[in-house]
């Protein structure tokens, strides 16, 4: 049995609050801030709706990560999604991001590290991107509760470069593990 090493397949950033980001050859993570040059970088919330609610909230959404396997899944339903289309900064392969516990540390070869803070809350802009896609990114569990599939959010613990092809070292937090909730 071959175990795939989790890796980065794409990186992106965008200096404005557009839905999709622009793919890059590399991004720089800034400790405690997020992705250099990205509109969502900052110590406090930068997402427009969250700024309107309370601009002093800590920014638990500095970095957005999505697993490329999601693109494969939605393609089976006729949707065409590429890295950066859903606004993520880092697209991964070989890592079940949604199953990670809160506080998981993702480390890249440069020493850059991101701590997973929670699930991305899918928003109506997803349907503006492709009609019907949002429904595909919100599932339900056995109890009928919503399950968010649009990736995870994190904060930058250690700055450094992240580029496509980088391996990802996964370090779980001490037990008991806390399941991810939307942030």
């Amino acid at each position: 049995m071959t175990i795939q090493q989790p890796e980065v397949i794409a990186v992106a950033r965008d200096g404005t609050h557009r839905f999709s980001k622009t793919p890059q050859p590399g991004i720089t993570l800034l400790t405690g801030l997020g992705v250099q040059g990205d509109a969502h970088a900052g110590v406090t919330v930068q997402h427009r709706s969250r700024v309107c609610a309370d601009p002093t909230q800590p920014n638990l959404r500095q970095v957005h990560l999505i697993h490329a396997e999601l693109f494969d899944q939605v393609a089976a339903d006729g949707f065409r999604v590429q890295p950066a289309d859903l606004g993520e900064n880092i697209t991964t392969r070989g890592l079940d991001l949604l199953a990670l516990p809160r506080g998981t540390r993702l480390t890249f070869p440069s020493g850059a590290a991101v701590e997973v803070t929670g699930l991305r809350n899918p928003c109506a802009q997803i349907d503006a991107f492709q009609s019907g896609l949002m429904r595909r990114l919100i599932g339900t569990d056995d109890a009928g509760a919503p399950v968010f599939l649009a990736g995870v959010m994190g904060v930058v613990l250690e700055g450094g470069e992240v580029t496509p092809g980088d391996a990802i070292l996964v370090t779980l937090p001490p037990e008991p593990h806390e399941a991810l909730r939307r942030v």
Side-chain angles (χ1 to χ4, degrees):
M1 178 175 151
T2 303
I3 297 176
Q4 182 179 357
Q5 167 69 45
E7 70 174 322
V8 174
I9 66 160
V11 295
R13 65 177 164 78
D14 198 308
T16 62
H17 285 277
R18 287 186 286 235
F19 179 70
S20 297
K21 295 194 183 295
T22 305
Q24 303 291 320
I27 57 173
T28 302
L29 300 184
L30 302 173
T31 304
L33 294 174
V35 178
Q36 182 178 36
D38 193 81
H40 292 99
V43 174
T44 57
V45 293
Q46 300 298 310
H47 193 273
R48 287 192 233 181
S49 65
R50 291 166 193 263
V51 168
C52 288
D54 178 3
T56 66
Q57 295 176 71
N59 189 2
L60 302 178
R61 300 166 56 99
Q62 295 174 357
V63 181
H64 177 199
L65 300 98
I66 285 185
H67 50 297
E69 291 84 356
L70 177 65
F71 305 155
D72 303 336
Q73 292 166 359
V74 299
D77 294 332
F79 296 101
R80 187 174 187 281
V81 181
Q82 300 293 315
D85 281 351
L86 297 179
E88 76 275 12
N89 300 110
I90 300 174
T91 309
T92 67
R93 185 165 295 280
L95 178 58
D96 187 354
L97 292 169
L98 304 177
L100 297 174
R102 186 171 179 260
T104 297
R105 183 182 181 115
L106 305 175
T107 306
F108 305 93
S110 69
V114 172
E115 180 180 306
V116 176
T117 56
L119 297 169
R120 176 192 183 187
N121 185 28
C123 66
Q125 289 180 325
I126 292 172
D127 272 345
F129 173 70
Q130 285 186 42
S131 181
L133 182 57
M134 184 165 155
R135 182 178 13 162
R136 183 61 180 87
L137 299 182
I138 302 175
T140 54
D141 65 15
D142 293 338
V147 176
F148 300 112
L149 308 174
V152 300
M153 307 305 288
V155 296
V156 180
L157 297 176
E158 299 290 337
E161 300 295 316
V162 180
T163 59
D166 281 354
I168 305 169
L169 174 65
V170 178
T171 307
L172 299 177
E175 292 190 13
H177 291 160
E178 182 181 338
L180 296 176
R181 299 182 315 267
R182 64 185 177 146
V183 293

